[in-house]
Amino acid sequence: CRTMTAPELSVVIPTHDVAPWVDECLRSVLGQEGVRLEVVVVDDGSRDGTPDIVAAFRDPRVRLVAAGQSGGGPARNQGVALARGEYLAFADGDDVVPPGAYGALLASLRTSGSDMAVGNFVRFPDGDGPEPRPGSDVPVTRHVTEARTGVTVADEPGLVRNRACWNRVFRRAFWDAHGIRFENSRRSNDIVAMARATVAARTDLVPDVVYRYRQRFGNGSMTTFGATPEAQLVYLEQERLCAPLLTGAGDRVRTVYSGMLLRSYLWNAVRIALGDPGPGATDDELRERLAEPLADILARLSPVTFASLPRARRQVFAHAASGDLAAAREALRRGISPTRLDRGRDAVERAARRAARSTARALVRARRLVLSP
């Protein structure tokens, strides 16, 4: 149970073979000034000395436990169950939390009484260190452009575009009340939990950079795995769980979510999945894992947004969802290298859409003139 001496903030960190980076990560978390915190490290079977590095801190704020179940999602759930703080945060063992990050997020929540506070983050390549090199241009992912409090997803549908768990702080009572849990998935195990939180929460927006995400390449890194067909099929399983949550949150949210998937996330997943499946994989297996979840997701998205896509992209989605992989690959090839006929058809469609939008705007203006006194 929580006592008067319980920490204000619990930071849950799952680890797996992150020995080269976990010291830097822990120092960045423990160095957060003005925050009474604990760190719950759940080690998921590391074989590179990661637990020894964590144990060497000998800091009473750090608690190291062995994961009871393999996987980052279960490790986070286990850490939440052990956490004692009024607030929750998550970090990965190879990333960095900038100075003052948790203080800024907590300050907003203490004042507003909201359920969740979200900030901006940067990605940096491994080897750059905790701060950008002098003269380097590290892009900030600015989901948050101005400070706001108590925002709902109905107020700001763009909240659905940010589904990472580590650039935010949650009120623990909110987390428990909504039964939020991470999925046991090799990739994207946080997007369902974050979709559920985003739909339910009153959210504070904090324009500070509150997290630095390390991009690692090579065997075992999530960045490398994410570029494989297998990773995209795993992602589709998770997106299939997100779709009813986000498309059911109102028309504006559905429209933003549909655009995000059809123009980016879902498109990239299908494009990569249709590539080289790797040794031992067959089209029958791909068809089984791709067609059904894709068809389910597409059925929930905005038909208006789908109709606005280039013709080749619509064909790729439609053929892949029906299981006709040969036709989907041909449509993908033509989308990448369109023929003169393809370009002509696309031009006609674009002109028709522009004309329809112009007509709609004209009708709105005419209606306003008729109704004006």
Side-chain angles (χ1 to χ4, degrees):
C1 64
R2 293 175 177 83
T3 68
M4 292 299 292
T5 59
E8 181 182 24
L9 174 68
S10 296
V11 184
V12 176
I13 305 178
T15 57
H16 176 75
D17 289 347
V18 289
W21 311 281
V22 70
D23 180 271
E24 181 180 48
C25 173
L26 285 175
R27 290 186 187 280
S28 74
V29 172
L30 294 170
Q32 298 290 307
E33 295 183 355
V35 180
R36 195 175 71 254
L37 57 76
E38 69 172 353
V39 182
V40 183
V41 179
V42 184
D43 188 70
D44 182 17
S46 292
R47 295 175 292 180
D48 67 347
T50 294
D52 296 332
I53 296 172
V54 176
F57 270 77
R58 301 193 183 281
D59 188 311
R61 295 174 294 172
V62 178
R63 182 177 182 183
L64 171 65
V65 298
Q69 181 181 352
S70 179
R76 288 193 180 113
N77 292 334
Q78 183 177 344
V80 170
L82 296 171
R84 299 177 298 130
E86 180 183 356
Y87 299 93
L88 278 172
F90 300 92
D92 287 343
D94 53 352
D95 294 337
V96 178
V97 180
Y102 290 148
L105 294 168
L106 286 168
S108 184
L109 289 177
R110 293 187 198 111
T111 302
S112 69
S114 295
D115 307 306
M116 175 172 72
V118 181
N120 291 309
F121 63 92
V122 297
R123 294 182 174 91
F124 70 103
D126 187 28
D128 270 9
E131 297 299 329
R133 290 174 298 181
S136 66
D137 184 16
V138 178
V140 177
T141 303
R142 293 202 178 277
H143 294 287
V144 180
T145 57
E146 61 178 334
R148 297 170 65 185
T149 59
V151 177
T152 68
V153 75
D155 301 325
E156 183 48 73
L159 288 172
V160 304
R161 296 191 179 101
N162 179 5
R163 294 184 292 175
C165 68
W166 27 247
N167 61 326
R168 57 192 79 203
V169 165
F170 306 86
R171 195 176 295 275
R172 175 63 183 268
F174 162 78
W175 186 275
D176 290 344
H178 291 276
I180 300 170
R181 290 181 61 82
F182 293 96
E183 299 293 317
N184 186 6
S185 173
R186 290 180 64 199
R187 184 171 186 262
S188 304
N189 62 52
D190 53 351
I191 66 173
V192 179
M194 294 305 99
R196 194 177 303 279
T198 298
V199 168
R202 291 169 300 132
T203 302
D204 290 354
L205 306 180
V206 177
D208 302 39
V209 173
V210 300
Y211 200 79
R212 289 180 50 77
Y213 177 85
R214 188 188 308 269
Q215 292 182 300
R216 294 194 287 120
F217 298 90
N219 293 335
S221 78
M222 191 53 63
T223 303
T224 299
F225 177 61
T228 65
E230 172 63 21
Q232 301 308 318
L233 295 173
V234 172
Y235 153 74
L236 280 175
E237 296 168 0
Q238 298 305 299
E239 198 66 76
R240 190 181 191 182
L241 299 175
C242 288
L245 296 170
L246 296 177
T247 57
D251 289 343
R252 293 177 66 216
V253 176
R254 184 192 186 204
T255 297
V256 171
Y257 176 63
S258 297
M260 178 179 82
L261 291 198
L262 293 171
R263 297 189 177 100
S264 181
Y265 290 29
L266 199 61
W267 170 245
N268 288 334
V270 173
R271 178 178 57 81
I272 294 172
L274 288 172
D276 183 2
T282 66
D283 270 3
D284 286 342
E285 179 185 358
L286 175 60
R287 188 176 294 107
E288 181 179 346
R289 297 180 64 191
L290 176 62
E292 185 177 339
L294 178 60
D296 190 20
I297 295 168
L298 291 174
R300 298 178 183 276
L301 301 182
S302 163
V304 174
T305 306
F306 186 85
S308 71
L309 298 174
R311 183 169 175 271
R313 185 170 296 198
R314 297 198 310 270
Q315 290 178 335
V316 172
F317 279 133
H319 290 314
S322 71
D324 190 344
L325 302 187
R329 289 186 176 112
E330 174 60 19
L332 180 60
R333 184 191 65 77
R334 294 178 67 177
I336 296 172
S337 301
T339 65
R340 181 179 298 179
L341 179 60
D342 293 329
R343 288 193 292 269
R345 286 172 173 169
D346 286 343
V348 169
E349 285 195 358
R350 288 195 297 271
R353 286 196 293 269
R354 285 196 297 268
R357 288 195 294 268
S358 297
T359 300
R361 286 194 292 267
L363 289 173
V364 169
R365 287 194 296 270
R367 185 171 182 271
R368 287 173 179 166
L369 289 173
V370 169
L371 294 178
S372 62

